[in-house]
Amino acid sequence: MRTRKHMNYETPAARKRNHYRSRRDLGGAEMTPDHEVLVVGAEISGIGTGVALLRAGLTDFLIIERSNDIGGTWRDNTYPDVAVDLPSFVYQFSYELNPNWTRLFPKGAEVKQYIDHMAEKYGLSKHIRLNAEMTSRHWDEDEHLWHVRSAGGCELTARFALTAVGLYTEPLRPDIPGLDEFTGKVIQSARWDHGHDLTGERVAVIGTGASAVQLVPKVAEAAGKLTVFQRSAIWVFPKPDPSIPRWLRWLLARVPLTNAVLRAISSAVVEMLLVGIFLLGKPGAVIAKFAAALVRVYLRTQVSDPALRRKLIPDYKFLCKRPSVSNTYFRTYTRPNVELVTTGIERITSKGVLSSDGRMHEIDTLILATGFRLFYDPENYRKAPVRGRDGFDLADFFTHERVQAYEGVSLPKLPNNFFIFGPYSWSGGSWPGMVETLSTHAIRVITETRRRGATAVEVTPEANDRFLRFARERIGKSLVYTNNCAGSNTFFLDHHGDSPLWRPTTSSAAKRAAMTFSLDDYTYRTHPASAARTP
């Protein structure tokens, strides 16, 4: 795989020629869109969707990206030791198997390189517009088009819209009193400042989630004093992370079937450990207890101090939150320059952090590893409103109604709209595999719409309700409910107390559903101007 140094995405001149304006046909009655398909987001979901469109022969599409580069999570998160917490063989598309992974758990830079390679190989550069953050999107029922505004007040139109922004949309800034008063350096984990040297500094990290598990050991090596503020502990397994030997990479490059087999095996194992146990409910709770016991044994090999071990063991049951993997995280807290604080934070001052026990922790740099806003958070759609037919507002809907989407892809009253990661769509295994599944669903509907000569398509309320009942019934038997996870502050539960993240089936079942769902679960309508031209 070649390293991409630069890609010629849409030039300013081309952008000017395609300047966000609809073009009326000669009859003047119907609006012809700037692009047939608009994809929002150029992270791995958007890039995978773009390739899927090309492979389906749908070439009139544009991918808009708010940043100045593609990659999403793997562009933004460059903190020390950032890596995938799934095996490399899982984190790839079935049609683009990478023989060049160097480790079992690849670093973030390798994943970014893989995404760049995908965009370059499949010629996506001419379909990508950077620095084009969507500020609003509304459906025009008179035109059967989506109108999309981006930063700067520019507007474009599209027949179909696919949202491919991924699971995590924005890093969360904690609501801690006095945070703006701190006069030292503040670094968000997803906005790492590589120009700031932590060597010898007094550093504090707020948060002990997956990002912190990776960065804390590296920060501890550089800092003179590191204080980690923990609200809740995290289940951490040892990380079997060997380098991939040259002979195996040679074999993967020359015998692609080897890579395909490793991908299938790795995906099955990950799915069994995450989704399988999670969805088993009470039987899964027995396995979860065994897994928790293994973590305790592992922790004992890393930390000899019983009091410190008690702090590092979660007070919630296993799989109430997603676990992590690390060979160094637990051991880092035994270093003489590292302190774990679990008493809570009273406030931030100009000089540091005042903990709830009255102690003042003076620091030079504050690192915020405090998580992300999820895709179904209504605030995402208040910041960038999405409005459909008959006054439908996605932010209001997700606020007041259960978070939902038919097969994780579409909603009534949002015509010609598809989520490439929506509610009840994550199978917990291969993320690229999930993108393939969801884009298959969307492209089947788009293709059928074109075949029928229709200009608007929308999932029926009956089909949507049927899938929601199925998903909620299945997920209601999962560990997130049988393990009483409501008090664990888990992102597996939303503001309604539902768990709309997981798809309660295997990924293979999801794939079959994407290829076989009834196309009559959608209604198809034709714009009067188009119908009038049909012989």
Side-chain angles (χ1 to χ4, degrees):
M1 183 184 298
R2 292 178 294 166
T3 301
R4 179 190 64 84
K5 294 183 178 180
H6 179 72
M7 293 187 71
N8 293 317
Y9 298 105
E10 188 177 66
T11 64
R15 186 180 304 119
K16 187 174 182 179
R17 289 194 299 271
N18 296 316
H19 188 60
Y20 300 99
R21 278 181 290 191
S22 301
R23 305 178 297 277
R24 290 189 182 275
D25 65 6
L26 294 177
E30 179 191 0
M31 300 294 283
T32 301
D34 294 310
H35 298 277
E36 185 175 20
V37 180
L38 178 75
V39 180
V40 181
E43 63 121 55
I44 194 168
S45 300
I47 296 303
T49 299
V51 175
L53 290 167
L54 289 175
R55 286 162 60 91
L58 299 170
T59 59
D60 183 12
F61 67 91
L62 179 70
I63 303 172
I64 60 171
E65 167 56 47
R66 64 183 176 181
S67 186
N68 61 0
D69 194 9
I70 67 173
T73 294
W74 303 109
R75 174 200 62 226
D76 296 338
N77 287 270
T78 60
Y79 56 78
D81 218 29
V82 61
V84 183
D85 58 1
L86 295 173
S88 54
F89 301 113
V90 173
Y91 214 84
Q92 54 186 343
F93 291 92
S94 63
Y95 55 83
E96 192 60 39
L97 301 176
N98 178 18
N100 298 317
W101 299 118
T102 62
R103 306 196 66 81
L104 183 59
F105 290 85
K107 302 298 183 183
E110 283 195 66
V111 182
K112 176 62 166 69
Q113 182 181 344
Y114 176 72
I115 297 170
D116 290 342
H117 164 78
M118 289 274 296
E120 183 175 9
K121 177 177 178 177
Y122 291 93
L124 291 180
S125 59
K126 62 185 177 183
H127 295 279
I128 297 175
R129 183 173 297 168
L130 301 175
N131 299 308
E133 181 175 12
M134 188 186 79
T135 58
S136 68
R137 176 158 61 90
H138 77 270
W139 171 257
D140 191 315
E141 181 64 20
D142 292 332
E143 301 170 356
H144 284 191
L145 295 178
W146 281 101
H147 285 250
V148 181
R149 285 193 169 273
S150 64
C154 296
E155 182 176 322
L156 62 81
T157 57
R159 182 72 68 197
F160 303 96
L162 283 73
T163 301
V165 296
L167 172 60
Y168 307 114
T169 58
E170 293 282 351
L172 287 174
R173 188 175 174 87
D175 185 18
I176 301 175
L179 181 56
D180 293 334
E181 300 173 13
F182 180 59
T183 56
K185 178 72 174 180
V186 178
I187 301 176
Q188 193 103 28
S189 62
R191 302 287 185 271
W192 196 262
D193 185 351
H194 292 275
H196 183 75
D197 187 4
L198 298 174
T199 302
E201 285 196 339
R202 300 167 298 175
V203 181
V205 173
I206 298 178
T208 50
S211 297
V213 167
Q214 294 180 343
L215 68 86
V216 160
K218 290 296 183 181
V219 172
E221 292 176 4
K225 172 67 185 296
L226 172 62
T227 306
V228 179
F229 292 87
Q230 173 183 280
R231 179 170 60 176
S232 59
I234 182 172
W235 294 103
V236 179
F237 287 90
K239 185 178 184 180
D241 188 25
S243 60
I244 297 176
R246 289 184 179 273
W247 68 263
L248 181 54
R249 279 184 273 166
W250 180 91
L251 184 64
L252 295 172
R254 286 158 181 79
V255 187
L257 181 61
T258 306
N259 205 329
V261 170
L262 288 173
R263 181 179 185 270
I265 293 172
S266 301
S267 297
V269 170
V270 168
E271 191 169 333
M272 179 182 66
L273 292 177
L274 286 179
V275 183
I277 298 173
F278 182 79
L279 292 178
L280 278 176
K282 290 183 179 180
V286 176
I287 303 174
K289 287 181 180 179
F290 177 71
L294 290 179
V295 172
R296 289 188 173 92
V297 171
Y298 170 56
L299 176 58
R300 186 176 289 272
T301 68
Q302 303 291 297
V303 178
S304 59
D305 182 356
L308 180 57
R309 287 203 302 268
R310 283 194 293 272
K311 289 183 178 181
L312 290 167
I313 285 295
D315 57 4
Y316 56 87
K317 294 181 179 179
F318 182 72
L319 278 184
C320 279
K321 295 184 178 182
R322 183 166 178 166
S324 192
V325 289
S326 174
N327 296 328
T328 56
Y329 179 71
F330 285 149
R331 191 166 61 246
T332 295
Y333 291 103
T334 66
R335 296 175 60 108
N337 67 326
V338 178
E339 180 182 5
L340 178 64
V341 177
T342 60
T343 54
I345 296 174
E346 181 70 25
R347 65 175 291 107
I348 308 292
T349 72
S350 61
K351 295 183 178 181
V353 182
L354 178 65
S355 53
S356 299
D357 58 2
R359 291 178 60 200
M360 181 66 206
H361 304 265
E362 293 191 0
I363 58 173
D364 304 303
T365 296
L366 177 62
I367 297 173
L368 304 177
T370 46
F372 298 83
R373 180 179 293 147
L374 298 184
F375 72 95
Y376 55 67
D377 189 325
E379 289 307 308
N380 293 321
Y381 307 104
R382 298 199 192 285
K383 178 183 176 183
V386 174
R387 298 189 173 97
R389 181 174 59 81
D390 297 338
F392 179 92
D393 183 280
L394 189 55
D396 289 344
F397 183 80
F398 279 172
T399 298
H400 302 295
E401 304 293 335
R402 285 198 154 94
V403 175
Q404 57 192 277
Y406 171 67
E407 294 286 344
V409 177
S410 53
L411 270 173
K413 295 192 176 181
L414 279 181
N416 295 18
N417 180 85
F418 308 94
F419 297 107
I420 307 299
F421 191 75
Y424 299 104
S425 64
W426 188 20
S427 64
S430 167
W431 184 277
M434 183 203 64
V435 173
E436 290 184 52
T437 294
L438 298 175
S439 59
T440 293
H441 181 121
I443 288 171
R444 278 190 69 206
V445 178
I446 292 172
T447 302
E448 178 67 8
T449 304
R450 299 170 92 222
R451 188 189 70 80
R452 296 188 185 204
T455 51
V457 62
E458 186 177 335
V459 68
T460 67
E462 294 78 15
N464 181 67
D465 291 345
R466 182 179 70 241
F467 179 77
L468 179 61
R469 287 194 302 271
F470 161 78
R472 292 194 66 240
E473 180 182 356
R474 292 285 298 272
I475 208 74
K477 301 173 183 177
S478 68
L479 290 184
V480 75
Y481 295 104
T482 60
N483 261 357
N484 299 316
C485 295
S488 63
N489 193 40
T490 177
F491 70 78
F492 291 170
L493 292 171
D494 70 2
H495 47 288
H496 298 299
D498 291 338
S499 184
L501 182 63
W502 302 87
R503 179 187 174 92
T505 72
T506 63
S507 58
S508 58
K511 185 177 181 179
R512 284 196 302 272
M515 294 188 294
T516 61
F517 71 88
S518 173
L519 290 166
D520 289 333
D521 281 348
Y522 285 83
T523 57
Y524 304 83
R525 296 180 289 124
T526 303
H527 191 283
S530 294
R533 292 199 303 268
T534 302

